[in-house]
Amino acid sequence: MLLLALDTATPAVTVALFDAEAGRVLAARERVDARRHGELLMPSVDAVLTEAGRGLGDVGALVVGTGPGPYTGLRVGLVTAAALGAARDLPVHGVCTLDGLAHAGGLREPFVVATDARRKEVYWAEYADADTRIGGPAVDRPAEIAERVAGRPALGAGAALYPEAFPGVRADLPAHASAGALAAVAARRLAAGEPLDAPTPLYLRRPDAREPAGYKAVTPAGSGGGR
């Protein structure tokens, strides 16, 4: 079965076509640009399918990163996956973006994954190995978790951004999400008969933009407010 995977939970817009039976990526695209998720995603999907010589009709299921991630970027991937799934009557599976990063890192010892959550915070999770999450995901200020993560390797752009809190950061390991790694995680879970996540977002906190509270109502002129 072919899995079309995509993720927009980090600054990377990443898409991959994965052959679950062969266990390999047939084609992939990745572009790191935190402000152009919506602009870059569908052209990347088209490019991946074209490179692999396949069409959406050949895809057996969709895999999408569920975050955690910033509200605007994360929902681009989730909405796109939902639309493609509905249009082609395909199942859509969710995978935690941090799980994909952990898998791509390939470590076989306890470690931490952290991505940039902005506001001087990180999204993070703890792993026993590359395929076993044992804590999180959560969002915290790096200083608040520095003691807890000390002494363990760390990977991800969040760890690289705050090396004082993540002294074990591995610059040689991936910083951003990989759609190919997400698909590999999904393929392994499907083969093992394990349940996959629903394609629902892990926001972990409210969006930056919200309706203002406590504003003064203004009565339009001529609305009948007489003396």
Side-chain angles (χ1 to χ4, degrees):
M1 177 172 63
L2 296 183
L3 301 175
L4 179 62
L6 49 98
D7 193 297
T8 57
T10 72
V13 177
T14 175
V15 178
L17 187 65
F18 188 87
D19 187 331
E21 295 181 2
R24 66 186 183 93
V25 173
L26 300 181
R29 287 289 187 279
E30 180 176 314
R31 178 78 175 270
V32 178
D33 191 329
R35 298 181 180 274
R36 298 176 64 203
H37 291 91
E39 179 182 346
L40 296 171
L41 183 56
M42 279 308 299
S44 297
V45 170
D46 290 339
V48 163
L49 292 172
T50 299
E51 180 180 330
R54 306 296 177 90
L56 276 175
D58 300 312
V59 173
L62 291 151
V63 178
V64 62
T66 59
Y71 181 82
T72 302
L74 177 54
R75 68 178 179 174
V76 169
L78 288 161
V79 169
T80 300
L84 291 174
R88 292 290 179 169
D89 194 25
L90 294 171
V92 182
H93 304 298
V95 174
C96 174
T97 299
L98 301 182
D99 289 356
L101 260 167
H103 179 84
L107 297 175
R108 291 296 156 192
E109 60 185 297
F111 66 98
V112 178
V113 173
T115 59
D116 183 15
R118 304 174 187 171
R119 303 186 194 173
K120 298 182 179 180
E121 294 178 330
V122 293
Y123 297 118
W124 68 289
E126 299 170 284
Y127 293 83
D129 57 48
D131 296 307
T132 310
R133 176 158 36 102
I134 56 175
V139 58
D140 288 291
R141 290 186 177 273
E144 295 171 347
I145 59 173
E147 185 175 346
R148 180 169 174 176
V149 304
R152 280 179 284 176
L155 64 108
L161 192 60
Y162 300 100
E164 67 282 0
F166 299 92
V169 61
R170 293 277 301 272
D172 58 316
L173 297 180
H176 300 297
S178 159
L182 282 179
V185 171
R188 179 184 60 80
R189 292 176 181 174
L190 287 169
E194 299 175 8
L196 277 84
D197 298 337
T200 54
L202 294 168
Y203 290 130
L204 301 190
R205 69 184 183 201
R206 293 178 60 83
D208 291 332
R210 63 188 66 180
E211 184 178 351
Y215 57 85
K216 182 179 180 181
V218 178
T219 302
S223 62
R227 296 179 180 176

